[in-house]
Amino acid sequence: LGDSTVRRKPSRGLTLLEALLTMFLFALALVVVSKLVTGSQHLIRYSSGRSQALRTCQWALSELRQQVEASARVDEPTTGSSNRLVLTTFRRSNTRLPATLPRWRAGTDPWWDPYAAGDLESLQFSLNSDQLMKLSGGTSTLLAGDIDNFWVNAKEQQLEIEVTVREQIRNSRFVTRVRTP
């Protein structure tokens, strides 16, 4: 049995070509991982920006709906479409009821008019550059930013309010309908 022993080659390590190939594959893997990380970071930033825009727009549409429902009347648009909404609302600073409620007697007591001019004020919603603004009593309030479009369509006994939010990739359009007073 003397010569049947297996001879092993001595370990030489990596050749230069094998080392370069290994470094290339490692660098390629790092580039792929880097692209995945930056892509996911971009997606997270886009999603959080979109989420914030959606919340802001939903809040603004909710405010518009509440104001229309609580208003005395819609002044603009009464027919067709407009890029602003004008309402006549009940003045918040005044109480609508008289200080003391009179005992009503037929023919002797005056009627209380809740629609008296002193108890009403104008409220306007419009787009100022890219900001949806609420103007009431000379005071402007920002409702939402990055708004691309604001339209109000008067239909039979209801308003259709459309708001388009500007986003990085594409714009989002939101529509709500509310019954007119």
Side-chain angles (χ1 to χ4, degrees):
L1 290 177
D3 280 335
S4 63
T5 59
V6 176
R7 288 191 174 189
R8 294 185 181 199
K9 281 184 157 183
S11 177
R12 302 177 304 157
L14 294 176
T15 65
L16 180 60
L17 183 61
E18 291 171 335
L20 287 175
L21 184 62
T22 303
M23 286 175 44
F24 173 75
L25 291 175
F26 182 70
L28 186 63
L30 282 178
V31 167
V32 168
V33 168
S34 168
K35 290 289 185 184
L36 287 173
V37 168
T38 57
S40 66
Q41 287 175 340
H42 175 73
L43 184 61
I44 289 170
R45 277 195 306 271
Y46 169 74
S47 296
S48 67
R50 178 173 167 76
S51 169
Q52 178 64 31
L54 295 178
R55 280 193 302 272
T56 302
C57 188
Q58 286 173 340
W59 180 84
L61 284 174
S62 174
E63 174 72 12
L64 285 163
R65 287 182 59 88
Q66 288 175 0
Q67 292 296 335
V68 170
E69 289 171 348
S71 68
R73 70 177 178 267
V74 175
D75 297 324
E76 185 181 333
T78 54
T79 59
S81 301
S82 177
N83 61 353
R84 69 184 195 147
L85 173 63
V86 181
L87 306 171
T88 296
T89 61
F90 299 102
R91 190 177 306 272
R92 291 180 187 234
S93 60
N94 295 348
T95 56
R96 290 187 55 215
L97 296 174
T100 58
L101 291 176
R103 284 186 185 228
W104 185 79
R105 292 179 302 244
T108 59
D109 288 331
W111 290 96
W112 169 65
D113 182 12
Y115 296 98
D119 292 329
L120 300 175
E121 67 182 352
S122 181
L123 179 62
Q124 178 178 326
F125 297 92
S126 61
L127 194 60
N128 185 5
S129 76
D130 69 342
Q131 299 176 334
L132 182 58
M133 302 297 290
K134 172 183 169 182
L135 179 63
S136 174
T139 305
S140 278
T141 306
L142 172 68
L143 291 181
D146 293 330
I147 303 297
D148 195 46
N149 195 9
F150 172 67
W151 279 102
V152 181
N153 300 316
K155 301 197 176 206
E156 292 182 20
Q157 298 181 349
Q158 70 177 357
L159 293 177
E160 181 180 79
I161 303 169
E162 177 183 324
V163 176
T164 305
V165 178
R166 184 179 309 122
E167 296 183 61
Q168 291 177 353
I169 296 174
R170 64 181 176 93
N171 294 346
S172 294
R173 182 176 161 253
F174 300 93
V175 178
T176 188
R177 290 181 181 86
V178 61
R179 186 171 178 85
T180 56

